[in-house]
Amino acid sequence: MFHSTARRLFAAKRPIAWAAAAVVMGVPTYYMAQDLVYVHDAKGAYERVPFLALHPESGGPKRLPIVSHQLDSNAEADANKPRIVIVGGGWAAVSLLRHLKKDKYNVTVVSDNNYFLFTPLLPSATVGTLLICWRTCRSLVEPIRKIAARINGHFLEAKAIDVDLKDKLLEVQTVDGEGRFYVPYDKLVIAVGAQSITHGVEGLEHTNQLKTIQDALQIRRRVVGNVEKACLPTTTPEERKQLLSFVVCGGGPTGIEFAAELFDWINEDLVKWFPKLLREDVSVSIIQSRDHILNTFDVKISEYAEKRFNREHVNVITNARVQRIEKDAVVFKRKAKDAPEESIKHGLCLWSTGIAMTPFVQNLSDKLGLQNHRRALITDECLRVKGIEDGSIYALGDCATVENPKLSQHIREIFEAADTDKNGAITPEEFIGLTNYIRKVFPSHGQHMNKLVSTFKKYEGTITMEVLEGMLKEVDSKMTLLPATAQVASQQGAYLGTHLNGDEPTKPFIYHHLGSLAYLGNTAVGEFSMGYKMIGGLYALYLWRSIYWSEQVSMRTRMNLSLDWSKRALWGRDISIF
């Protein structure tokens, strides 16, 4: 009886044992086989590399090497493909890479960082919520080479310096600054982002910014270093208060989320691992030039954020402009008439107050002459840079702004197209044709046609050209510039990729706002396109996390992000300095 039962159990478990053995043996065998494939492919590589990739010819105005072929080029496959050069490795560039068809173009990406950075979660890296290892945060970065490999693209770690518009050559410089060369292009996509604007404020060398992993690492070292120095018995009470005073200049999402992450660290980690005395000396201040923080959000969300910060004793100063930054203090002045200068001592000051052109973009803007925008390259509705006759240069993301045509400047054209009976007035029936004409010829204004229709209903019968001109001016006033967000850049990259693939006729880029999110310290706020507002609560925190988790560019970063959040929940944040 015992033996028969044992035999039955053994027979039942035999498939499980075989499956386990297959996994144990199969997985290593699979990876070893892959290694053999890679090793085999690498043999004889020198024989397959194009001669010009190893010995580039010199040319162009400065007689620099022209990199017409790459070390990983396939001379036969790339011979007849149009060359697309993408400058930058941010949201717009990566979205474009993910939407281009494989093997349709010879694509080269030029960036001074060889990784894509998930910037919306960068504030979390400043206090150890997301771990920074070996000067990078594995949860937030993905190698660009892996992303470009999908379309057999090439990558050059270099910095764009200038563009030769006549010969279509992009001048680049190696990251160590020791060499320069040209990269030829048929189409050039500029997606280099932007740098922080100074507003003419002196003393920005005493501040920190938050745009890169290096910035986050520097802030983390400064925060923890200040706290450790404040723990020393030789530190005076006055020095301790200055070291533990953190000032944020700018009340936008980046500054607010950094302040929230910092306050979480203070309340959850500082009080647990450092002397309790420090908590009494810590102060966090936010200086905002507008009436409210998070002023791009609905006013209810802004007021909720202010009330929450005030409840947590975060000093929110609105309607104030920073005058200068001193080594140990931020000097500001309120907008009230005859307001005196005030100052706040700081141990760390974060500057997060808007964007400006990078030197590369500024150089191109000056060269074109037709550009009159101070902070970005002006493009048409199809994202082509204004001033380039053949339309071969595109600009996406923070470095660009779309110039929308003004309907009031086309009043005669619109009126004559709608006035079918040529009696000098628009009837209700003709007005329907007028809105359809605007949607077809000026699609970026289509979202405002319902408002135009409701305005027309206020008039009895017909309207004249003068009345219509006033209505169109009202529509023009509602056409605002696109915000400098990851969402806009990602949609522009997707649009341009689809456009370059030739899957549909050329249509103007239309931005579809899906919503905005902001972290406020163990909760979040947001507003979405359908009018729904998310104001605080535990569910808001997990919805915020879920959205950003789903927007990651690879499963590897999703897994790392999940692990970081789990480790923070179980063991707290990392408080070490390295």
Side-chain angles (χ1 to χ4, degrees), residues 237 240-241 244 266-267 270-271 275-284 313:
R240 185 176 297 112
K241 287 185 178 181
L244 300 180
I266 291 168
N267 288 334
L270 181 142
V271 296
K276 304 298 185 287
L277 171 69
L278 300 188
R279 183 62 187 86
E280 297 297 319
D281 291 331
V282 169
S283 64
V284 180
H313 303 291

Side-chain angles (χ1 to χ4, degrees), residues 273-342:
W273 303 110
F274 295 90
K276 304 298 185 287
L277 171 69
L278 300 188
R279 183 62 187 86
E280 297 297 319
D281 291 331
V282 169
S283 64
V284 180
S285 303
I286 301 171
I287 302 175
Q288 165 71 323
S289 62
R290 303 292 183 88
D291 296 339
H292 296 281
I293 59 175
L294 296 178
N295 60 288
T296 57
F297 288 69
D298 184 84
V299 65
K300 292 183 179 179
I301 292 178
S302 297
E303 291 175 349
Y304 170 81
E306 290 171 2
K307 290 178 181 178
R308 181 176 179 84
F309 279 159
N310 288 333
R311 192 166 58 247
E312 298 290 348
H313 303 291
V314 174
N315 183 23
V316 178
I317 303 170
T318 57
N319 288 315
R321 290 191 179 277
V322 175
Q323 302 298 303
R324 62 184 180 276
I325 309 291
E326 298 176 353
K327 185 177 181 180
D328 59 352
V330 177
V331 181
F332 65 94
K333 183 186 290 186
R334 300 180 191 270
K335 291 183 178 180
K337 187 177 181 181
D338 299 326
E341 286 189 347
E342 303 176 52

Side-chain angles (χ1 to χ4, degrees), residues 126 153 177 225 229 238 243 256 271 292 308 318 329 371 484 548 550:
T126 61
K229 188 174 181 179
E238 292 75 17
L243 287 168
I256 295 304
V271 296
H292 296 281
R308 181 176 179 84
T318 57
Q371 299 281 330
Y548 282 158
S550 66

Side-chain angles (χ1 to χ4, degrees), residues 24-34:
V24 171
M25 297 296 295
V27 172
T29 302
Y30 170 78
Y31 281 105
M32 290 173 63
Q34 295 296 308

Side-chain angles (χ1 to χ4, degrees), residues 245-264:
S245 174
F246 304 99
V247 180
V248 177
C249 298
T254 300
I256 295 304
E257 290 185 330
F258 167 71
E261 289 281 359
L262 180 61
F263 212 79
D264 283 351

